[in-house]
Amino acid sequence: MTRTVDLPGGTALPLIGLLTEATGRQPAVNQISWSPAQHDPALLDEHRRRGIVVEGYSGLKNTDLRDPVLTGIARRHGATPAQVVLRWHLEHDIVILPRSSRREHIAANFDLEALTLTKEDIAAIDTLSRTR
């Protein structure tokens, strides 16, 4: 019997429903491309309703880190726009796997503990979504 099933990234919820019906097991995690521009509150809510953790990939790759909303928030918090985006993911309970080949970027990507976004910051970043 199969204990784990690896689904393609971004698997649609209907396919997850079919898999759950067929196996009697629901996936614990769904890995999907996730960024401020791809933020879809309804999709995130549906995953939460089903008890499925969202693991977001390409969060930095699919984000314009020069966006004035991100640079303004970063400036106010003494952080980089990349750190702001990663913290935003965490504020939405999105599992993140940031990638970089540069040592200083890797260190900065892990240095998120002291960064706290306000509710207003999070709402401003949420408005960058193009999925609505």
Side-chain angles (χ1 to χ4, degrees):
M1 172 161 241
T2 302
R3 292 180 50 115
T4 62
V5 175
D6 193 15
L7 297 171
T11 300
L13 286 170
L15 182 56
I16 290 173
L18 291 172
L19 176 69
T20 302
E21 266 183 48
T23 65
R25 291 181 168 232
Q26 177 171 275
V29 177
N30 191 14
Q31 185 182 62
I32 56 179
S33 186
W34 199 268
S35 68
Q38 297 165 314
H39 177 61
D40 183 344
L43 181 63
L44 186 56
D45 288 344
E46 184 59 22
H47 278 81
R48 286 184 177 142
R49 187 185 73 70
R50 294 178 184 218
I52 301 171
V53 173
V54 172
E55 182 180 298
Y57 68 86
S58 297
L60 297 177
K61 180 181 175 186
N62 293 325
T63 299
D64 178 2
L65 296 175
R66 297 169 306 204
D67 186 285
V69 170
L70 298 175
T71 58
I73 292 169
R75 194 171 28 259
R76 281 194 304 281
H77 290 284
T80 67
Q83 287 174 313
V84 168
V85 170
L86 294 173
R87 182 78 235 175
W88 170 84
H89 279 78
L90 296 176
E91 294 296 331
H92 282 295
D93 294 321
I94 306 289
V95 174
I96 55 174
L97 297 171
R99 293 176 31 183
S100 179
S101 59
R102 298 180 62 186
R103 173 168 278 179
E104 64 273 13
H105 288 177
I106 294 168
N109 289 346
F110 280 102
D111 189 22
L112 301 174
E113 211 49 43
L115 176 57
T116 303
L117 299 178
T118 65
K119 289 179 184 177
E120 293 79 15
D121 293 336
I122 295 166
I125 297 168
D126 288 350
T127 67
L128 300 177
S129 177
R130 295 187 302 249
T131 62
R132 296 173 190 197

